[in-house]
């Protein structure tokens, strides 16, 4: 299982490097004394592909983190995406409530306690940001905190 | 001065909280507070953020000693002997020694920073772009070599960070790079979504389902050590301060590495070395002094040269930039008051941490009884709101989530995360200086090599890689 996780991470890095190298190749690369915008990105991305592939064959890994659950990660991710989609449309109070409820579900609370904790935490956090830290965020659509 | 003292106190308390609770580390907390700190004057803002980093080292030692549950990586080393002392009924003494050793290291390094940093900055005045590029290359090599990860993994993560650092508009020709047509990415990827995603969301989600280890809270008892115990810990704390001072200035020389080096040294030279495995006071005094010294001396290359030695220092670099005070020689000529405020804040934070934290030990430990799932929901909510609030761009929230998922996958694959941050900060700095160096060289590459720091740095880089290769061959 650990081997699969290590391979997944290595392949993801190699893929990222390949995409970056391809994008950098589309830009003017230039030469060492007249470096174009693609010169160093191409070097870095090429190095990333090589080192990511080499890491797949390396003998030992740093201690991998254990635990975590993909389902819970997805629930938290849904809450975060929901927040980003709603914040400008519905304001921060509603968006933060959805976010904190999803985060509570992702953290393992059952539905009712999650809704309860989310109802306290989300609006509470918004009010701390707005009033204690003086950060301007829209509370409701069209109503700014400032 | 009252503003500086308040910021130091608040930072120290927040840092202790972060150090006590596993989850959101000091770098991510500092990143979250970047926008709020912008509302403060430069001096108090920087003191607040630095105080969080120093406080986290103290907080971590409290739970490491009492519960064998460090909130920060460097506390792992203190936990070894500290928790054994606690189980033997000497928890209070271990806590007292940890606080006093950290205080001693904190005050000594604050004086050192006050003296050494301006001199380093004066030296930096004579550096050309080729020298700076060579220094950055040396820093990056040291990050990979000292980062504790096998070579290829460390290099891959560093280069992934460099690619992230290149996102945005090319400063040379104004061409957008890696922006995928997204207008919000033209200014590049901010440190806040990167750090909060990697070290906040990713770390919390990767760890939350692992149950807390079975913990046994040891009785605290007498806190203030006797004169004989103090005397026995003076030399280990002094050695730890020296080790931490040196390691902290190296790029990638983390507080954990400083604590490990100090513990290794004490196992060989301390008078109570026979007590190792049963609870040795030098095993608390040395590593605690070392991690606090390392946390603070990271400021020397940051303020003197603008080179961060750790992810937390990278956030502090971001804070300097946000306040319009780029670190380096100009800071000392134009804003000497900010540097003086930083030193004063360090002294106040260190004294406050020793004086306030010991009586509050019970409170910090009780915080650990808060259900972990409530804390996770709190961290995810505050992180997301904080990232949105600093730019008011939903795209930053998506970026944070992306980095969170990447951090989750990479952590589970055993890849170190800190080099990504170094890559993202150092990559553009390297590119800018390298381009200018070769432009000035007018097609004569040997001109670049003739700059004073280039050849020594290249030699040092070669030495680092030869050393790593030999170590790998020998193991």
């Amino acid at each position: 299982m650990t081997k699969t996780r290590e391979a997944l991470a290595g392949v993801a890095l190699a893929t990222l490097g390949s995409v970056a190298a391809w994008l950098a190749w589309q830009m003017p690369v230039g030469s060492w004394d007249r470096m174009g915008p693609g010169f160093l990105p191409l070097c870095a991305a090429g190095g990333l592909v090589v080192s990511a592939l080499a890491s797949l064959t390396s003998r030992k890994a740093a201690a991998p983190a254990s635990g975590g659950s993909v389902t819970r990660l997805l629930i938290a991710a849904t809450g975060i995406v929901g927040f980003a989609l709603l914040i400008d449309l519905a304001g921060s109070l509603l968006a933060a409530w959805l976010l904190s409820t999803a985060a509570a579900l992702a953290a393992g609370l059952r539905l009712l306690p999650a809704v309860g904790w989310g109802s306290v935490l989300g609006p509470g956090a918004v009010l701390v940001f707005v009033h204690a830290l003086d950060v301007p965020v829209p509370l409701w659509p069209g109503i700014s905190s400032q | 001065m009252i503003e500086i003292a308040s910021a130091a106190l608040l930072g120290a308390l927040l840092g202790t909280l972060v150090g006590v609770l596993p989850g959101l580390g000091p770098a991510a907390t500092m990143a979250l507070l970047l926008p709020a700190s912008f509302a403060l004057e430069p001096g108090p803002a920087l003191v607040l953020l630095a105080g969080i980093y120093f406080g986290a080292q103290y907080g971590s030692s409290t739970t490491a000693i009492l519960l064998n549950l460090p909130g920060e990586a460097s506390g792992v080393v203190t936990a070894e002997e500290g928790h054994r002392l606690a189980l033997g009924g000497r928890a209070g003494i271990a806590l007292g020694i940890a606080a006093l050793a950290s205080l001693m290291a904190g005050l000594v390094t604050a004086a050192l920073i006050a003296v050494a940093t301006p001199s380093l900055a004066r030296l930096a005045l004579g550096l050309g772009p080729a020298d700076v590029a060579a220094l950055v290359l040396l820093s990056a090599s040291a990050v990979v070599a000292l980062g504790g990860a096998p070579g290829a993994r460390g290099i891959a993560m560093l280069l992934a960070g460099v690619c992230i650092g290149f996102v945005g508009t090319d400063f040379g020709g104004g061409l957008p790079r890696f922006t995928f047509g997204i207008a919000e990415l033209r200014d590049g990827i901010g440190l806040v979504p990167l750090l909060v995603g990697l070290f906040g969301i990713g770390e919390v989600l990767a760890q939350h389902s692992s149950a807390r280890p079975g913990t046994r809270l040891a009785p605290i008892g007498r806190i203030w050590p006797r004169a004989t115990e103090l005397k026995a810990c003076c030399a280990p704390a002094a050695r730890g301060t020296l080790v931490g001072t040196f390691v902290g200035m190296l790029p990638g020389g983390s507080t954990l590495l400083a604590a490990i080096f100090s513990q290794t040294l004490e196992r060989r030279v301390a008078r109570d070395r026979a007590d190792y495995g049963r609870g040795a006071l030098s095993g608390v005094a040395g590593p605690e002094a070392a991690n606090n010294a390392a946390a603070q001396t990271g400021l020397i290359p940051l303020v003197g040269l603008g080179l961060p030695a750790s992810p937390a220092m990278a956030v502090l670099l971001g804070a300097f930039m946000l306040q319009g005070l780029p670190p380096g020689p100009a800071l000392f000529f134009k804003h000497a008051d900010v540097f003086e405020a930083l030193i004063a804040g360090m002294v106040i934070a260190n004294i406050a941490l020793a004086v306030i934290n010991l009586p509050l030990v019970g409170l910090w430990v009780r915080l650990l009884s808060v259900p972990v799932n409530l804390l996770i929901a709190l961290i995810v909510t505050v992180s997301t709101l904080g990232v949105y609030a600093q730019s008011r761009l939903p795209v930053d929230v998506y970026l944070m989530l992306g980095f969170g998922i990447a951090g989750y996958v990479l952590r589970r694959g055993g890849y170190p995360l800190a080099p990504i941050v170094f890559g993202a900060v150092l990559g553009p700095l390297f590119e800018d200086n390298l381009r200018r160096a070769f432009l000035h060289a007018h097609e004569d590459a040997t001109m670049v090599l003739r700059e004073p720091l280039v050849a020594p740095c290249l030699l040092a880089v070669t030495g680092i890689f030869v050393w790593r290769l030999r170590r790998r061959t020998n193991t």
Side-chain angles (χ1 to χ4, degrees):
Chain A
M1 192 61 172
T2 305
K3 285 276 173 203
T4 315
R5 285 185 204 152
E6 287 177 30
L8 178 68
V11 169
L13 281 173
T15 309
L16 173 76
S18 308
V19 172
W22 182 76
L23 289 171
W25 188 249
Q26 313 296 312
M27 299 179 225
V29 174
S31 59
W32 61 266
D33 57 334
R34 295 266 167 204
M35 291 179 197
F39 191 92
L40 278 177
L42 187 62
C43 297
L48 174 56
V49 174
V50 173
S51 52
L53 292 176
S55 74
L56 290 172
T57 58
S58 67
R59 283 178 294 178
K60 55 178 184 177
S66 57
S69 133
V70 175
T71 315
R72 291 179 177 187
L73 176 72
L74 288 177
I75 297 173
T78 308
I80 293 170
V81 171
F83 172 88
L85 290 172
L86 277 177
I87 183 84
D88 288 337
L89 290 172
S92 60
L93 285 172
L94 192 65
W97 171 79
L98 177 81
L99 166 71
S100 50
T101 303
L105 280 171
L109 289 183
R110 289 176 185 279
L111 183 63
L112 273 179
V115 172
W117 181 229
S119 304
V120 175
L121 179 60
V126 168
L127 294 177
V128 168
F129 269 82
V130 168
H131 293 295
L133 300 177
D134 214 16
V135 179
V137 287
L139 293 175
W140 295 104
I143 302 177
S144 167
S145 60
Q146 299 289 294
Chain B
M1 191 44 119
I2 291 174
E3 283 176 342
I4 298 290
S6 310
L9 196 63
L10 180 63
L13 287 173
L14 270 174
T16 309
L17 183 69
V18 170
V20 166
L21 298 172
L24 205 62
T29 309
M30 290 163 71
L32 277 175
L33 281 176
L34 263 184
S37 73
F38 189 56
L40 300 172
E41 290 291 312
L46 294 167
V47 167
L48 171 74
L49 296 174
I52 291 173
Y53 189 41
F54 308 148
Q57 313 304 322
Y58 276 80
S60 176
S61 68
T62 303
T63 47
I65 290 169
L66 291 177
L67 301 161
N68 196 19
L69 195 66
E72 254 287 287
S74 60
V76 173
V77 181
T78 308
E80 279 191 29
E81 293 306 310
H83 191 58
R84 287 187 185 119
L85 282 165
L87 294 177
R90 300 173 77 193
I93 301 296
L95 287 170
I97 290 291
L100 293 174
S102 298
L103 176 63
M104 177 187 144
L107 296 181
V108 169
T109 45
L112 182 76
I113 292 165
V115 174
T117 316
S119 313
L120 189 66
R122 269 193 293 275
L123 280 177
L125 267 179
L127 299 182
D131 297 306
V132 177
L135 274 175
V136 171
L137 186 66
L138 178 60
S139 303
S141 310
V143 165
V144 172
L146 299 176
R153 285 165 195 268
I155 294 173
M157 297 302 274
L158 184 81
L159 291 175
V162 172
C163 290
I164 291 168
F166 286 151
V167 174
T169 306
D170 169 48
F171 59 85
L175 203 73
R177 298 191 294 193
F178 302 151
T179 58
F180 302 98
I182 301 169
E184 289 94 332
L185 289 182
R186 281 182 172 248
D187 288 337
I189 290 176
L191 263 184
V192 180
L194 176 67
L195 279 162
V196 176
L198 284 178
F199 296 107
I201 301 292
E203 189 136 333
V204 161
L205 294 174
Q207 289 187 330
H208 78 267
S209 74
S210 33
R212 282 184 177 168
T215 51
R216 188 180 134 202
L217 180 58
I220 294 171
R222 175 170 60 91
I223 285 179
W224 296 106
R226 294 200 175 93
T228 49
E229 291 164 330
L230 266 181
K231 202 175 157 195
C233 289
C234 275
R239 286 191 291 265
T241 305
L242 268 177
V243 169
T245 299
F246 176 70
V247 174
M249 285 190 282
L250 300 175
S254 62
T255 53
L256 172 64
L257 199 65
I260 290 172
F261 282 171
S262 166
Q263 191 199 45
T264 310
L265 181 67
E266 294 309 318
R267 275 179 191 276
R268 290 187 185 171
V269 304
R271 284 191 177 170
D272 62 352
R273 57 186 178 273
D275 291 338
Y276 273 78
R278 295 195 303 270
L281 279 176
S282 65
V284 174
E288 276 302 304
N291 72 34
N292 203 34
Q296 294 192 177
T297 50
L299 281 171
I300 296 178
L302 176 76
V303 181
L305 300 171
L307 293 176
S310 67
M313 288 296 135
V315 182
L316 212 53
L317 176 64
F320 272 106
M321 297 299 193
L322 264 179
Q323 296 281 354
L325 306 166
L331 183 76
F332 295 94
F333 299 128
K334 293 181 184 164
H335 303 282
D337 55 319
V338 173
F339 180 65
E340 285 159 13
L342 199 54
I343 298 293
M346 282 168 66
V347 172
I348 295 168
N350 274 290
I351 294 173
L353 282 163
V355 174
I356 293 173
N357 272 351
L358 285 176
L360 290 181
V361 161
L363 172 72
W364 297 127
V365 172
R366 266 199 295 278
L367 278 176
L368 279 172
S369 61
V370 175
V372 74
N373 37 21
L374 298 188
L375 279 178
I376 288 167
L378 178 71
I379 291 172
V380 172
T381 304
V382 171
S383 299
T384 310
L385 262 171
V387 166
Y388 174 77
Q390 55 91 31
S391 63
R392 278 185 285 168
L393 292 173
V395 73
D396 275 349
V397 177
Y398 295 126
L399 283 172
M400 177 202 73
L401 177 61
F403 289 126
I405 293 171
Y408 175 85
V409 171
L410 292 167
R411 272 179 61 82
R412 285 167 67 97
Y415 283 77
L417 298 183
I420 293 190
V421 181
F422 286 106
V425 172
L426 296 181
L429 190 65
F430 180 70
E431 184 187 38
D432 177 22
N433 283 286
L434 194 71
R435 272 172 148 180
R436 285 197 286 133
F438 279 117
L439 269 177
H440 294 170
H442 304 296
E443 299 183 7
D444 179 9
T446 57
M447 243 180 94
V448 173
L449 286 172
R450 285 200 296 271
E451 293 295 319
L453 283 186
V454 174
C457 284
L458 290 180
L459 264 176
V461 169
T462 314
I464 285 173
F465 281 102
V466 169
W467 170 68
R468 281 292 306 189
L469 213 63
R470 284 189 62 176
R471 256 190 73 184
R472 202 179 152 177
T473 319
N474 292 339
T475 50

